[in-house]
Amino acid sequence: MPNLSQPDSSFQTVEMQESTALRIDAHHHLWNYSLAEYSWIDDTMAALRRDFTAADLHEVMSTASVDGAIAIQARQTIEETSWLLDCADATDKICGVVGWAPLLTGELGAVLDGFATRGKLVGIREIVQAEPDGYLDQRAFGQGMAELTRRGLAYDLLIRERQLEEAIRLVDRHPQQRFVLDHAAKPRIAASDMEPWRQHIHALGQRGSVFCKLSGLVTESNWSHWSLDTLRPYLDVCVEAFGPHRLMAGSDWPVCLVASSYAHWWSVLDEYFAPFSSVERQRIFGGTAIEFYGLAPLLRPTLEVAS
């Protein structure tokens, strides 16, 4: 097991009781499929060329004993954010939504005002991995980030390894903002590359306001030839860099289906974290997501977290 040293975090933790520990999927998607809007789903991902609804989500969650989930944007439209919030309002299983909003424009404040009564909007994300170098360094981006901080909204960092240094600069400019790194910045697992990803992950982990999602790793591997042993070195780095208290488990469903079933991914995480303490497992599989996204007031009464 890797060293579990824990950097100080500026955020108050949630004490989890064994009887009230929840299993939260910190990262999944929903969509009504169309070729025009999901052109990134190529022939190798043909299984994803269909609708994925809240009913489908409920079904797969039951296969892994997952209690709640956080819906993450997949399109950069206000309409999708509204639709995801409608989906979340219709079911207790979706505890929160990380939507999209125009961070680079003067319309951001008005857009967020329009969502002010939608209590399940817990964060914002952009598809930064597709943007050119320097995107996170823009002045307008920083102004948008300051608006999120003012409103208490989290920010999901969807980036690739090459953007980690930019992300570190962004975090340092906004010390009061809560950040979570999606998919551990997509390390090049299929190529068995560790550097410079490992070095930058450790540097980012030194910033206590940054958390990390253990999601999306199977799709960075060889889809048909991967195992826990394939992923173990990368999981070890994440644990070493962030500690169990700043990690959260997520599925990246339905994207994960090109390489793994929903239940199998959770079984892999269960196997890896089996040697950890019960408190650490409770944090990783639910407590961290509840704390980071402020989900406790949004959970249905029968599953409220004791604090």
Side-chain angles (χ1 to χ4, degrees):
M1 188 188 307
N3 184 351
L4 302 185
S5 60
Q6 301 181 359
D8 290 338
S9 172
S10 58
F11 299 101
Q12 185 177 6
T13 60
V14 175
E15 295 296 330
M16 301 288 291
Q17 302 292 330
E18 183 76 40
S19 61
T20 58
L22 301 181
R23 199 164 169 97
I24 303 293
D25 181 347
H27 198 105
H28 77 87
H29 305 286
L30 301 173
W31 60 63
N32 292 319
Y33 176 76
S34 73
L35 178 60
E37 293 181 310
Y38 295 92
S39 58
W40 57 271
I41 302 178
D42 60 25
D43 290 344
T44 67
M45 304 180 188
L48 305 183
R49 287 176 170 166
R50 67 174 181 87
D51 295 350
F52 288 90
T53 68
D56 297 321
L57 174 67
H58 292 175
E59 183 177 348
V60 297
M61 286 171 65
S62 69
T63 68
S65 300
V66 174
D67 301 297
I70 301 167
I72 311 294
Q73 63 87 220
R75 294 186 296 139
Q76 302 200 129
T77 69
I78 296 169
E79 291 74 19
E80 189 207 37
T81 301
S82 294
W83 177 72
L84 289 174
L85 287 165
D86 290 343
C87 293
D89 287 343
T91 174
D92 289 331
K93 291 288 188 181
I94 301 177
C95 308
V97 169
V98 174
W100 178 87
L103 261 69
L104 293 180
T105 75
E107 300 173 0
L108 177 62
V111 169
L112 294 178
D113 284 344
F115 290 129
T117 61
R118 310 299 298 268
K120 286 191 175 182
L121 183 66
V122 295
I124 297 296
R125 186 180 87 151
E126 295 178 295
I127 304 176
V128 178
Q129 66 178 17
E131 299 293 345
D133 292 349
Y135 185 84
L136 298 177
D137 289 325
Q138 296 176 88
R139 180 180 179 183
F141 188 90
Q143 292 171 336
M145 193 59 56
E147 183 70 14
L148 297 188
T149 304
R150 186 177 73 82
R151 293 173 183 262
L153 290 168
Y155 187 76
D156 272 50
L157 274 165
L158 176 61
I159 59 174
R160 295 191 180 276
E161 176 187 72
R162 65 178 175 81
Q163 297 164 307
L164 277 165
E165 290 182 281
E166 276 185 49
I168 291 168
R169 294 195 296 270
L170 173 70
V171 169
D172 287 345
R173 288 193 299 270
H174 299 275
Q176 301 306 311
Q177 175 61 36
R178 287 173 294 130
F179 295 94
V180 59
L181 185 64
D182 289 355
H183 315 323
K186 297 193 168 185
R188 293 176 290 175
I189 301 173
S192 299
D193 287 345
M194 292 292 289
E195 301 295 350
W197 173 80
R198 173 167 48 191
Q199 173 188 347
H200 295 323
I201 287 292
H202 275 281
L204 195 58
Q206 292 174 7
R207 278 74 179 170
S209 60
V210 185
F211 291 59
C212 181
K213 288 185 183 179
L214 301 176
S215 57
L217 299 181
V218 292
T219 49
E220 299 306 313
S221 309
N222 182 311
W223 295 353
S224 59
H225 297 89
W226 68 271
S227 67
L228 174 55
D229 288 340
T230 307
L231 303 182
R232 190 180 300 277
Y234 300 89
L235 291 168
D236 287 350
V237 169
C238 292
V239 173
E240 291 164 0
F242 293 95
H245 66 305
R246 285 191 287 140
L247 294 175
M248 58 184 85
S251 67
D252 198 27
W253 179 90
V255 182
C256 68
L257 297 178
V258 300
S260 171
S261 71
Y262 189 88
H264 181 53
W265 172 241
W266 287 97
S267 71
V268 167
L269 289 179
D270 282 332
E271 182 178 352
Y272 176 80
F273 286 109
F276 288 59
S277 73
S278 62
V279 171
E280 289 167 341
R281 291 196 303 272
Q282 288 166 24
R283 292 282 310 174
I284 293 160
F285 286 99
T288 298
I290 291 168
E291 170 200 328
F292 179 83
Y293 286 115
L295 300 182
L298 305 175
L299 298 171
R300 58 190 186 274
T302 56
L303 292 178
E304 284 180 351
V305 178
S307 61

